[in-house]
Amino acid sequence: MPGAREAHEEREEGAAATGWVWTAAWPVTAVFVLSNAATPLYVRWQREIGFSKGTLTVIFACYIVGLLGSLLVSGVVSDRVGRKPVLLPALGLAMAACVIFASASAVAALIVARLFSGIAVGAVVSAGMAAVTDVAGPGRRRLAALLASCAMVFGAGLGPLLAGVLGKGVFVLEAVLLAAAVLVVARMPVRRPVAPAKGAWVRIPGVPRGSGGQLLMGIAVFAPGITATSFVLSLGPSLLSGLLDTTSPVAAGAMAFVMFLTATGAQFAVQRLDRRTILIAGAVSTTIGMGALIAAVRASSVPLLVAAALLAGAGQGMGQLGGLSLLNSAVPASRLAEANAALNVGGYVPAGVLPVTAGYLSDAVGLTTGATVFGAVLMALALVGGLVVLVGPPSSRRK
């Protein structure tokens, strides 16, 4: 019987039940709820504390700094000592960030909370996503990539929506969600690695020899996509408040939510396509989205701004799914967390630098000009990403 044989093979591989594969993705969702929960509240903090759009993007970028610093360590450590010793401290740090956000009354507090959030997210995108693949086993790596990627973008969208409705109360709810994630990690059926440690513990993450092409293709599409959504998260509320003449966090939270809901839906829609097609579709979506952004700010159009956000979300989602799927297919479990970290370093560096640049440019020459320049640069990067995929290795065509 084929079903019995498949079940026997799954047990031999040490894979857990399918329910545990879905459950293992929960810590990713919980931490990513925190990652963007502050987004709708920035306009309110900006009014209450008093700081410029440039300072706002610096606060946002501190998250990127914490995340990148975490990625230099968490992937390698996770592959050597296990997923749980990395994830549990990260969840504790995320809880601390909730406490700081809930009581923040100065820019310094926002910077520290964002920094802590970034460190926690860095651990989750490397060790947490690798844990989902470990639990799934070798036979369900494509499912693991889909669930880990969707958990990330769904959490990233749910946070702003909850913050828009609950205000600072979102951080109380988030602390509860993180506590549940701690219980999941504590019981997660993952084994400690048995391979001996090699190389430095703190280093720029990479992939094994022969997997560089897959990593490059993933970064080429994922980086423009996540940079586009980062811009919407950092300066989108300012754009929206100017167009609608409102500082309501609900509007900003709803826009971020539908952006990441689109990212989630797009991944389920394209999951059966080959990896190269998924990546090319992601590059096209980001390119069109940035065209819509330019049109939105020049025409002062809310519908076009929402369309830009939706297309940016789809671009990030497909770039992320394609990149993770390529790595899951090419990288052994003993290096997978580091490989995930490498993909995210490649994506989050431009996602931190370009929106900050656009924020200060907007302070100097106006939001319309700043957003136009940003959109044009990102359109070019997305087009280059699509070309990189087109000339990439033939193995990327496989499902």
Side-chain angles (χ1 to χ4, degrees):
M1 293 175 59
R5 183 174 65 250
E6 290 171 1
H8 175 68
E9 290 174 353
E10 184 175 292
R11 284 194 300 271
E12 282 190 333
E13 292 168 345
T18 301
W20 252 115
V21 183
W22 286 78
T23 304
W26 172 247
V28 179
T29 299
V31 171
F32 270 92
V33 168
L34 174 64
S35 70
N36 295 328
T39 296
L41 304 175
Y42 284 139
V43 174
R44 179 182 297 176
W45 277 319
Q46 195 171 13
R47 183 180 67 249
E48 294 174 353
I49 301 173
F51 50 84
S52 68
K53 287 187 285 292
T55 300
L56 175 60
T57 53
V58 168
I59 293 170
F60 183 83
C62 283
Y63 162 83
I64 307 293
V65 171
L67 187 150
L68 291 175
S70 177
L71 289 174
L72 296 178
V73 181
S74 57
V76 175
V77 173
S78 173
D79 286 335
R80 293 184 180 182
V81 305
R83 313 307 184 201
K84 294 183 182 182
V86 172
L87 291 174
L88 291 174
L91 291 170
L93 206 57
M95 290 183 179
C98 288
V99 174
I100 298 171
F101 269 132
S103 58
S105 60
V107 170
L110 296 177
I111 286 175
V112 171
R114 287 294 285 173
L115 188 67
F116 283 4
S117 301
I119 295 171
V121 167
V124 163
V125 296
S126 52
M129 289 184 165
V132 179
T133 302
D134 291 348
V135 172
R140 294 179 292 187
R141 284 196 161 205
R142 193 174 181 90
L143 172 65
L146 175 65
L147 293 182
S149 185
C150 287
M152 173 179 168
V153 293
F154 181 71
L158 186 60
L161 180 65
L162 293 174
V165 175
L166 300 175
K168 287 188 176 183
V170 69
F171 300 113
V172 177
L173 175 60
E174 168 61 359
V176 175
L177 300 181
L178 290 168
V182 169
L183 296 177
V184 169
V185 171
R187 298 188 59 195
M188 191 180 294
V190 290
R191 300 173 180 173
R192 292 179 65 87
V194 295
K198 296 180 180 179
W201 285 77
V202 179
R203 65 178 185 236
I204 297 175
V207 294
R209 187 182 301 275
S211 303
Q214 286 86 348
L215 176 63
L216 177 61
M217 290 171 62
I219 290 174
V221 179
F222 176 53
I226 197 168
T227 303
T229 57
S230 293
F231 177 83
V232 173
L233 289 170
S234 59
L235 289 182
S238 297
L239 281 169
L240 201 60
S241 66
L243 294 176
L244 295 178
D245 192 27
T246 178
T247 58
S248 169
V250 177
M255 185 173 71
F257 176 70
V258 296
M259 177 173 71
F260 286 112
L261 188 64
T262 302
T264 305
Q267 292 179 75
F268 277 100
V270 303
Q271 61 171 310
R272 297 187 182 277
L273 301 178
D274 65 85
R275 302 178 188 109
R276 179 171 296 197
T277 301
I278 293 173
L279 287 170
I280 291 174
V284 170
S285 183
T286 301
T287 301
I288 299 174
M290 291 304 94
L293 174 66
I294 294 171
V297 297
R298 302 199 77 80
S300 298
S301 169
V302 172
L304 281 174
L305 179 61
V306 173
L310 297 181
L311 288 163
Q316 178 190 332
M318 288 186 282
Q320 183 174 296
L321 175 61
L324 285 173
S325 296
L326 283 174
L327 294 179
N328 271 8
S329 69
V331 178
S334 60
R335 294 285 302 278
L336 188 56
E338 184 182 355
N340 289 345
L343 175 67
N344 282 279
V345 167
Y348 276 104
V349 167
V353 173
L354 291 180
V356 169
T357 303
Y360 277 105
L361 182 63
S362 298
D363 282 336
V365 300
L367 195 52
T368 297
T369 301
T372 299
V373 172
F374 173 87
V377 170
L378 215 53
M379 282 182 70
L381 291 176
L383 286 170
V384 170
L387 292 175
V388 169
V389 174
L390 285 173
V391 301
S395 61
S396 62
R397 296 183 184 275
R398 299 174 192 159
K399 291 187 177 182

